[in-house]
Amino acid sequence: MSIADNIRSLKNETDTIKVQLIAVSKTKPAEEIKEAYDAGQRLFGENMVQELTDKYENLPKDIKWHFIGHLQTNKVKYIAPIISMIQSVDSLKLLQEIDKHAQKNNRVIDCLLQAYIADEETKYGLGFDQIIELLRSEEYAGLSNVRIRGLMGIATNTDNEKQIKEEFYELKTFFDGIKQTYFRQDPLFDVLSMGMSSDYKIAIEQGSNMVRLGSTIFGQRVIKHWKNN
Ligand SMILES: *Cc1c(COP(=O)(O)O)cnc(C)c1O
């Protein structure tokens, strides 16, 4: 199947159940992104700042770019004017930096807090206790140019479906609790981003409403620089 076919069938599958589809285009060249765009896809995910800003310059301006990788505070300024959502907020310090640059750009930036749910030390993210601490902090209360729209999580990279299911279940339960406690008056806290190519069906069963798919759409990623593809 072509990229366009993949987009059409995945959009069909997700639109009917109100799950948002993020096409993860990291390492993929502009032509392939354009093919997905022409098939109707508008939400794309990237995890490198330079790659994102280059693609932004070269692709249609109605694309909504989501940042999904670990973001260094000193690079926030490059994406602050153009980013639609930062899904990978993993510290208060980063959130403060995003707020600062959002303010400079006279905008409010939508963010997700990245929750650490995997059984792997290599993954970034905040523990559930740290998320609560952040939401209760005075520093967070003082921020005016970031809007926390929900949570994002990456499950353990394993074949053990039971484990993946439990991790997503825990995140969904935590999400519901946080929404009740800290965002009761805020209908915009509504995004639970969980599920990648290998586990998105389990994620949707467990209550995800945003999936981030790369290889299912564009094929396997080969490890070379996107500009030289
Ligand atoms: C790369 C990536 C994805 C997509 O991975 P696939 O397995 O290709 O679907 C999703 N989420 C994050 C955070 C990623 O870095």
Side-chain angles (χ1 to χ4, degrees), residues 24 26 47 68 152 154 196-198 212-216 221:
V24 176
K26 61 190 186 194
N47 68 346
I68 60 168
M152 185 270 264
I154 305 172
M196 324 189 353
S197 292
S198 58
R212 310 175 309 271
L213 306 185
S215 45
T216 301
R221 282 180 296 277

Side-chain angles (χ1 to χ4, degrees), residues 28-214:
K28 299 296 177 183
E31 308 82 74
E32 293 188 20
I33 299 174
K34 189 63 173 32
E35 188 180 339
Y37 176 91
D38 289 338
Q41 182 65 22
R42 292 294 179 273
L43 307 177
F44 289 88
E46 291 283 340
N47 68 346
M48 304 286 271
V49 167
Q50 175 81 55
E51 185 173 341
L52 175 86
T53 54
D54 284 357
K55 286 176 176 174
Y56 172 83
E57 289 303 324
N58 292 304
L59 283 155
K61 292 296 178 283
D62 62 338
I63 287 180
K64 290 192 161 65
W65 296 100
H66 285 222
F67 198 81
I68 60 168
H70 179 61
L71 179 57
Q72 289 170 277
T73 50
N74 63 353
K75 296 200 172 161
V76 172
K77 57 177 178 283
Y78 301 114
I79 63 169
I82 60 171
I83 202 71
S84 177
M85 182 181 276
I86 299 175
Q87 295 205 10
S88 43
V89 175
D90 54 12
S91 70
L92 175 62
K93 194 169 147 251
L94 177 58
L95 196 62
Q96 289 171 310
E97 194 67 14
I98 296 168
D99 185 75
K100 186 174 108 189
H101 289 284
Q103 214 161 330
K104 280 189 185 162
N105 286 278
N106 215 346
R107 60 184 299 238
V108 173
I109 297 182
D110 282 346
C111 294
L112 302 181
L113 299 177
Q114 181 173 352
Y116 182 87
I117 54 170
D119 188 14
E120 282 170 44
E121 280 168 22
T122 51
K123 301 263 156 76
Y124 289 97
L126 295 156
F128 291 172
D129 49 340
Q130 292 175 301
I131 289 179
I132 291 169
E133 191 182 311
L134 186 155
L135 293 174
R136 292 176 127 170
S137 69
E138 278 179 29
E139 289 90 341
Y140 167 63
L143 304 180
S144 52
N145 292 65
V146 286
R147 188 189 291 124
I148 296 184
R149 295 291 310 273
L151 304 177
M152 185 270 264
I154 305 172
T156 303
N157 184 7
T158 172
D159 292 334
N160 185 344
E161 290 196 4
K162 183 164 167 288
Q163 182 179 351
I164 295 169
K165 188 173 160 178
E166 280 169 8
E167 290 172 358
F168 286 148
Y169 175 81
E170 279 173 27
L171 184 54
K172 167 70 162 110
T173 306
F174 181 69
F175 173 84
D176 290 342
I178 288 291
K179 188 171 171 59
Q180 274 297 314
T181 312
Y182 300 99
F183 296 92
R184 193 188 286 269
Q185 316 285 3
D186 184 358
L188 288 177
F189 184 89
D190 60 357
V191 179
L192 180 56
S193 172
M194 53 183 203
M196 324 189 353
S197 292
S198 58
D199 57 19
Y200 79 95
K201 286 178 200 278
I202 305 174
I204 290 172
E205 274 168 22
Q206 295 306 315
S208 166
N209 59 21
M210 183 180 278
V211 293
R212 310 175 309 271
L213 306 185

